[in-house]
Amino acid sequence: MRGHLSSVKGGEPDWGGQLGSERSGVRMDEDVLTTLKILIIGESGVGKSSLLLRFTDDTFDPELAATIGVDFKVKTISVDGNKAKLAIWDTAGQERFRTLTPSYYRGAQGVILVYDVTRRDTFVKLDNWLNELETYCTRNDIVNMLVGNKIDKENREVDRNEGLKFARKHSMLFIEASAKTCDGVQCAFEELVEKIIQTPGLWESENQNKGVKLTHREEGPGGGACGGYCSML
Amino acid sequence: MDPPAGFSGLFPLGQLAYFSKNLQEAEQPVFTLKRGEAHNCFLKSGLVQPVLQVHRNTIPQIRLEMATQDRSSQRLPPVAEPAVEGVPHLPVGHELAEASRFAYAALCGISLSQLFPEPEQSSFCTEFVAGLVKWLELPEAVLPTMTAFANGLGGEGADVFAPILLKDPILKDNRLVIIQDLLSFSLKDGRYDARARVLICHVTSLFRVPLEELDLLEETFLESLKETKEEESETAEASRKKKENRRKWKRYLLIGLATVGGGTVIGVTGGLAAPLVAAGAATIIGSAGAAALGSVAGIAVMTSLFGAAGAGLTGYKMKKRVGAIEEFTFLPLTEGRQLHITIAITGWLASGKYRTFSAPWMALARSSEQYCLAWEAKYLMELGNALETILSGLANMVAQEALKYTVLSGIVAALTWPASLLTVANVIDNPWGVCLHRSAEVGKHLAHILLSRQQGRRPVTLIGFSLGARVIYFCLQEMAQEKDCQGIIEDVVLLGAPVEGEAKHWEPFRKVVSGRIINGYSRGDWLLSFVYRTSSVQLRVAGLQPVLLQDRRVENVDLSSVVSGHLDYARQMDIILKTVGIHTKPGWDEKGLLLTPGSPPQEEPRQVAATSSSDKTTPGDNPEVATPADPSRVQVPTGLDQSEGASLPATTSPAESPQLCSHGTGPNPLGCPDCASETQGPCPGLD
């Protein structure tokens, strides 16, 4: 299940502007293919914020305070020569902020579901998170990734194969990582983005969903009325 | 009965002043409370003692009440739980659960970024959200996220947070908690930014709370900050309900404010009240207050309540002539007080019913504090007479046929005006040209008055028709050139504006106007296109067609079905206001029809009261009074006086039957929207 990484950094700038318009409000970068919304969810204390911090700032803070509400970071990465701007929403795992979580699912193209390999309870509760995901997600072709965090620790409680099995069962990407040692963090995000970009209907449709566009009906040959997105939506 | 001089005399009896901690240092009150309100919120024993002494000599029962409160206050912290008299405990913003507070701040952040995406507004958005985070006692860690929200990052829409907030157990039953908290927050620095009000209105609508509730909250707020006489003339039932509501909220508003500490001075009410103040400050701050005006404390109160230069406004205007402006006065339209004000600007004055500046605005109820601008009555009167002449007398029969095709084919045809009309053109062209020039001057002057915050630090809405709209246009244009022009103007409504309709000219207004820019136009307004044929070469006139500016603020309202001729802007004002979404007084219609021309009954005494306050009778609401020294004025439109009698019935009658298609019968046969829409495209412009 675990796909290989095939990212090329510093990709071709020629792509710029071809797929043009981004969501208003986000500053348009010339050579960014698209803006993707990524959500990080999981139980409290599994290391969601640490993963994000490692990915965006390449730092690690063992005493990181619990997230309040949601944290939000933007990072541009290039995968396969395509630059993508990631708007990453790091949700709070604490119960008291659970009411807020549903609001973030809307429009997300990728979800990173994190558990702690040293705490079985965080793995057991994955089912709940998947339920919530199903309930609140606005699209069903969203790319999910399961991340087992804290593999640097000794007292592992969840075996790698267990995670792999769970991921396969729910057709998710899977990776084990450690925010502390930087193991697999970059990889996790890049792979997720790659997968999203490989699913064109997922990110291209963002523009189409923003409103009704009144244009001349010039359907491509065999394109069909819905431009081939029907099967995916 | 007059209390002794000194600062304590400022407060009408039965009021209680709350002073900031160091009485010696700052002798000005932070705010005043009504007797019953003080129960356990602000009282700190000792601090109120000086005031107490004074009242003790005058009204014993207050002393008694205060004494008990004084004792109870010793047990209670400064910001105490407001569980009084069976009123359920309603928490203020920072008492909500952390998740709700987060959602609340996020909601505001995202809303701000949606409302004000312009880069020049981003500092306001950021500061607002940062302040809100502090106000809500949220941890600093959320600041980057909130800043991102406020700058338009990451927002999938503020509406996602609204449902979450509404699920909060506290907010479920009391959505107003958020609104009132946001209001307290916005006002805590003693100013009310127009952008903040737009945000509050936005949040109010997200919560599906009627805007009237917000108005009520604002009124309550204001009321709790100053003593007002209970003089509402509503029906007993409505007023009781209103008051009950108010009483409940007042407490929480005050508690919300108290949390900022002693530094809150409210300076949001404004200087436009200056004429009233001059008339007798006694009516507003009590006779005792008027006596104490000379004292240091008195000046402090006046400053905070009416804006720094408020009292000087009248004097300034009367003594100095600004440029070419001969008349420039604010007349109160309504007696109330509100945290936001509306200024209505009349476009011309006519004979009969519409001879006063305030006459067209009788139905306006945008705010309970409204003013109308009296400017250049002499010239507007001339213009009005000329308009009426053209419409009713001379042009009617002759130009009828020719004008029909003029309207139908848009402004292009304006180049081929019928000769019959052109012969009488001099009647209108001269006053029109004069007023066109004057309105620009007046607009610029208004801009500087608003920029200097003579109205106080609170949002202003401008509404004007015809040349009044032109005043607004130039006011906005002038303001846009200034650096600190933001957050003053809330909404603007331009009706039948004789100004350029090119979008690029309206572009700078986005910076100035926080709320809506409404352009009400009528395609059938041939008079506007006629007077515009020579005045300038502009072919796109805002009053004739939509302004094609892409912005959330801009709303183009086609009034062709209501306004069939330029004079209808005054006559149909109540309908127009409703159409463009401005609040009007309920049940106005019947009242408006009952009014006979030339006798607007309610306003006359009020106007007199207002004008008598100034040293000169300049506010020419009544033209005869306004410019008695100018006998030539009456004769200027020669022949008009004779025709006036004939024209009067003709011009007033359509008011009763506005919707009738008046082919060939009415004074303005060509404005019939049905005719116009048959052949005319959506935009009669050249391109």
Side-chain angles (χ1 to χ4, degrees), chain B residues 132-144:
Chain B
L132 192 60
V133 166
K134 215 186 225 169
W135 167 268
L136 292 174
E137 293 168 14
L138 280 165
E140 294 232 334
V142 303
L143 213 50

PDB file of all heavy atoms in Angstrom, chain B residues 132-144:
ATOM      1  N   LEU B 132      -9.498  41.265  19.940  1.00  0.00           N
ATOM      2  CA  LEU B 132     -10.582  40.368  20.325  1.00  0.00           C
ATOM      3  C   LEU B 132     -10.044  39.142  21.061  1.00  0.00           C
ATOM      4  O   LEU B 132     -10.640  38.676  22.035  1.00  0.00           O
ATOM      5  CB  LEU B 132     -11.360  39.942  19.081  1.00  0.00           C
ATOM      6  CG  LEU B 132     -12.688  39.229  19.292  1.00  0.00           C
ATOM      7  CD1 LEU B 132     -13.656  40.101  20.062  1.00  0.00           C
ATOM      8  CD2 LEU B 132     -13.308  38.843  17.965  1.00  0.00           C
ATOM      9  N   VAL B 133      -8.910  38.646  20.609  1.00  0.00           N
ATOM     10  CA  VAL B 133      -8.295  37.495  21.261  1.00  0.00           C
ATOM     11  C   VAL B 133      -7.983  37.841  22.718  1.00  0.00           C
ATOM     12  O   VAL B 133      -8.238  37.068  23.639  1.00  0.00           O
ATOM     13  CB  VAL B 133      -7.020  37.056  20.506  1.00  0.00           C
ATOM     14  CG1 VAL B 133      -6.184  36.108  21.348  1.00  0.00           C
ATOM     15  CG2 VAL B 133      -7.390  36.387  19.195  1.00  0.00           C
ATOM     16  N   LYS B 134      -7.478  39.041  22.901  1.00  0.00           N
ATOM     17  CA  LYS B 134      -7.162  39.494  24.250  1.00  0.00           C
ATOM     18  C   LYS B 134      -8.435  39.668  25.071  1.00  0.00           C
ATOM     19  O   LYS B 134      -8.518  39.257  26.220  1.00  0.00           O
ATOM     20  CB  LYS B 134      -6.417  40.820  24.142  1.00  0.00           C
ATOM     21  CG  LYS B 134      -5.353  41.012  25.207  1.00  0.00           C
ATOM     22  CD  LYS B 134      -4.800  42.402  25.071  1.00  0.00           C
ATOM     23  CE  LYS B 134      -3.301  42.438  25.151  1.00  0.00           C
ATOM     24  NZ  LYS B 134      -2.803  43.764  24.762  1.00  0.00           N
ATOM     25  N   TRP B 135      -9.393  40.280  24.462  1.00  0.00           N
ATOM     26  CA  TRP B 135     -10.673  40.557  25.109  1.00  0.00           C
ATOM     27  C   TRP B 135     -11.344  39.277  25.571  1.00  0.00           C
ATOM     28  O   TRP B 135     -11.954  39.222  26.632  1.00  0.00           O
ATOM     29  CB  TRP B 135     -11.534  41.320  24.107  1.00  0.00           C
ATOM     30  CG  TRP B 135     -12.991  41.452  24.413  1.00  0.00           C
ATOM     31  CD1 TRP B 135     -13.992  40.615  23.998  1.00  0.00           C
ATOM     32  CD2 TRP B 135     -13.636  42.492  25.145  1.00  0.00           C
ATOM     33  NE1 TRP B 135     -15.205  41.074  24.437  1.00  0.00           N
ATOM     34  CE2 TRP B 135     -15.017  42.228  25.139  1.00  0.00           C
ATOM     35  CE3 TRP B 135     -13.173  43.638  25.807  1.00  0.00           C
ATOM     36  CZ2 TRP B 135     -15.943  43.053  25.775  1.00  0.00           C
ATOM     37  CZ3 TRP B 135     -14.098  44.453  26.428  1.00  0.00           C
ATOM     38  CH2 TRP B 135     -15.467  44.161  26.414  1.00  0.00           C
ATOM     39  N   LEU B 136     -11.210  38.253  24.746  1.00  0.00           N
ATOM     40  CA  LEU B 136     -11.850  36.973  25.058  1.00  0.00           C
ATOM     41  C   LEU B 136     -10.978  36.097  25.948  1.00  0.00           C
ATOM     42  O   LEU B 136     -11.342  34.979  26.252  1.00  0.00           O
ATOM     43  CB  LEU B 136     -12.179  36.218  23.766  1.00  0.00           C
ATOM     44  CG  LEU B 136     -13.256  36.841  22.903  1.00  0.00           C
ATOM     45  CD1 LEU B 136     -13.387  36.101  21.600  1.00  0.00           C
ATOM     46  CD2 LEU B 136     -14.581  36.847  23.625  1.00  0.00           C
ATOM     47  N   GLU B 137      -9.833  36.620  26.298  1.00  0.00           N
ATOM     48  CA  GLU B 137      -8.902  35.885  27.146  1.00  0.00           C
ATOM     49  C   GLU B 137      -8.520  34.547  26.526  1.00  0.00           C
ATOM     50  O   GLU B 137      -8.386  33.530  27.210  1.00  0.00           O
ATOM     51  CB  GLU B 137      -9.477  35.694  28.558  1.00  0.00           C
ATOM     52  CG  GLU B 137      -9.598  37.027  29.287  1.00  0.00           C
ATOM     53  CD  GLU B 137     -10.417  36.922  30.568  1.00  0.00           C
ATOM     54  OE1 GLU B 137     -10.661  35.804  31.020  1.00  0.00           O
ATOM     55  OE2 GLU B 137     -10.798  37.977  31.090  1.00  0.00           O
ATOM     56  N   LEU B 138      -8.357  34.559  25.241  1.00  0.00           N
ATOM     57  CA  LEU B 138      -7.848  33.377  24.560  1.00  0.00           C
ATOM     58  C   LEU B 138      -6.327  33.376  24.658  1.00  0.00           C
ATOM     59  O   LEU B 138      -5.709  34.440  24.711  1.00  0.00           O
ATOM     60  CB  LEU B 138      -8.265  33.391  23.085  1.00  0.00           C
ATOM     61  CG  LEU B 138      -9.685  32.944  22.764  1.00  0.00           C
ATOM     62  CD1 LEU B 138     -10.049  33.365  21.348  1.00  0.00           C
ATOM     63  CD2 LEU B 138      -9.835  31.450  22.916  1.00  0.00           C
ATOM     64  N   PRO B 139      -5.714  32.210  24.682  1.00  0.00           N
ATOM     65  CA  PRO B 139      -4.253  32.172  24.771  1.00  0.00           C
ATOM     66  C   PRO B 139      -3.607  32.805  23.542  1.00  0.00           C
ATOM     67  O   PRO B 139      -4.188  32.794  22.449  1.00  0.00           O
ATOM     68  CB  PRO B 139      -3.928  30.683  24.819  1.00  0.00           C
ATOM     69  CG  PRO B 139      -5.204  29.980  24.987  1.00  0.00           C
ATOM     70  CD  PRO B 139      -6.311  30.887  24.641  1.00  0.00           C
ATOM     71  N   GLU B 140      -2.433  33.328  23.748  1.00  0.00           N
ATOM     72  CA  GLU B 140      -1.736  33.995  22.648  1.00  0.00           C
ATOM     73  C   GLU B 140      -1.440  33.045  21.492  1.00  0.00           C
ATOM     74  O   GLU B 140      -1.207  33.477  20.375  1.00  0.00           O
ATOM     75  CB  GLU B 140      -0.417  34.579  23.170  1.00  0.00           C
ATOM     76  CG  GLU B 140      -0.609  35.695  24.161  1.00  0.00           C
ATOM     77  CD  GLU B 140       0.180  36.918  23.770  1.00  0.00           C
ATOM     78  OE1 GLU B 140       1.193  36.757  23.085  1.00  0.00           O
ATOM     79  OE2 GLU B 140      -0.243  38.024  24.137  1.00  0.00           O
ATOM     80  N   ALA B 141      -1.431  31.755  21.811  1.00  0.00           N
ATOM     81  CA  ALA B 141      -1.077  30.779  20.787  1.00  0.00           C
ATOM     82  C   ALA B 141      -2.025  30.811  19.593  1.00  0.00           C
ATOM     83  O   ALA B 141      -1.653  30.406  18.491  1.00  0.00           O
ATOM     84  CB  ALA B 141      -1.068  29.376  21.396  1.00  0.00           C
ATOM     85  N   VAL B 142      -3.228  31.284  19.807  1.00  0.00           N
ATOM     86  CA  VAL B 142      -4.185  31.281  18.701  1.00  0.00           C
ATOM     87  C   VAL B 142      -4.003  32.504  17.802  1.00  0.00           C
ATOM     88  O   VAL B 142      -4.614  32.589  16.748  1.00  0.00           O
ATOM     89  CB  VAL B 142      -5.645  31.239  19.201  1.00  0.00           C
ATOM     90  CG1 VAL B 142      -5.857  30.034  20.088  1.00  0.00           C
ATOM     91  CG2 VAL B 142      -6.023  32.510  19.911  1.00  0.00           C
ATOM     92  N   LEU B 143      -3.160  33.425  18.254  1.00  0.00           N
ATOM     93  CA  LEU B 143      -3.024  34.674  17.514  1.00  0.00           C
ATOM     94  C   LEU B 143      -2.609  34.475  16.043  1.00  0.00           C
ATOM     95  O   LEU B 143      -3.222  35.068  15.153  1.00  0.00           O
ATOM     96  CB  LEU B 143      -2.024  35.579  18.245  1.00  0.00           C
ATOM     97  CG  LEU B 143      -2.280  37.071  18.152  1.00  0.00           C
ATOM     98  CD1 LEU B 143      -3.705  37.415  18.496  1.00  0.00           C
ATOM     99  CD2 LEU B 143      -1.320  37.820  19.046  1.00  0.00           C
ATOM    100  N   PRO B 144      -1.604  33.642  15.773  1.00  0.00           N
ATOM    101  CA  PRO B 144      -1.222  33.460  14.365  1.00  0.00           C
ATOM    102  C   PRO B 144      -2.363  32.926  13.510  1.00  0.00           C
ATOM    103  O   PRO B 144      -2.578  33.384  12.383  1.00  0.00           O
ATOM    104  CB  PRO B 144      -0.082  32.441  14.433  1.00  0.00           C
ATOM    105  CG  PRO B 144       0.434  32.509  15.822  1.00  0.00           C
ATOM    106  CD  PRO B 144      -0.715  32.902  16.685  1.00  0.00           C
TER     107      PRO B 144
END
